Each structure stands twice: as structure tokens, then as C-alpha cells.
Amino acid sequence: MDNRPIDAGALINELEGHLLIEATRSEGRAEAGRFTRQFGWLTDSQRAEVEERFAEEYIVLARLSWQRTAQRGAELRGEYEETYRALRQRLLAVCLFGIALLISAVVLVVSFT
């Protein structure tokens, strides 16, 4: 084993990923079972084949959904970060204008007294 420190965050993320995939596989198998129950005429081997393919497609569709969700999350993050930067710039401009106005008012009051 090497002497590099263990990154707890990365380890937790990896563990969560494995748990999510396993939960999705379990859901896929359960959905496949519910799906094939409506086809009473299937033989046991046909039912197993349909359930296996259904569960595989379930995983593929779930993965695509996760990828779209992650992509949209990244897009939204970029949009929100841009909006936040613009708001910060506007706030800074307003504060600087306010300070300049206050300094001008103080200079005018002092010069007329």
C-alpha cells in the first residue's frame, strides 16, 4: 500500500455511486418482474430472458437520466454563477457610487462652512 492520504470525500462519493447503482439494479429487477407477470403465457426461460433484458435497459435508461441531470446541473450552476457575478458587480458599483456621493456631500458641506 502507498503512503498517500485517503480522500474521504472521494471514498464516500464512490461508495454512494455503488449503492445507487445497486439500488437501481434492484429496482430494475423488481420492475422487470412486475412487467413479465402480465405475460402468463411466457415459459420460465422466456420470462427470465425478458426480465434480464428489461433490467439491463432499465439501468441504461437510468444512467442516461443521471447524465442528463448532471449536465443540466452543470449548466444551471454556470448560469447561477454568472448571475451572481453580475449582481456582485452591480452591488459594488452602487456602493462605490454611494461612497462617492457621500464624500462629495461632505466636501460640499465642509467647503460652505
Side-chain angles (χ1 to χ4, degrees):
M1 217 169 159
D2 58 25
N3 293 330
R4 289 183 289 173
I6 296 174
D7 183 4
L11 186 61
I12 289 171
N13 287 340
E14 187 173 338
L15 181 61
E16 285 178 342
H18 287 293
L19 291 174
L20 179 63
I21 290 171
E22 188 52 41
T24 303
R25 283 188 179 128
S26 180
E27 289 172 8
R29 287 189 294 268
E31 290 299 320
R34 279 193 280 280
F35 177 73
T36 57
R37 268 187 234 121
Q38 63 185 326
F39 305 112
W41 46 267
L42 288 173
T43 65
D44 288 342
S45 63
Q46 289 172 331
R47 184 180 317 279
E49 174 89 17
V50 170
E51 286 180 5
E52 183 179 328
R53 289 190 182 183
F54 186 102
E56 288 171 3
E57 284 301 311
Y58 190 91
I59 293 289
V60 169
L61 292 173
R63 184 169 283 135
L64 286 172
S65 176
W66 297 336
Q67 288 170 344
R68 280 191 221 110
T69 301
Q71 181 181 4
R72 183 62 182 143
E75 290 170 0
L76 286 173
R77 181 182 182 135
E79 290 173 18
Y80 286 129
E81 286 176 349
E82 182 59 36
T83 301
Y84 178 71
R85 275 192 292 277
L87 288 173
R88 273 191 8 213
Q89 288 174 349
R90 285 174 45 192
L91 179 62
L92 178 62
V94 167
C95 287
L96 291 175
F97 179 74
I99 290 170
L101 194 61
L102 183 63
I103 291 171
S104 299
V106 168
V107 168
L108 284 175
V109 168
V110 169
S111 66
F112 284 120
T113 37

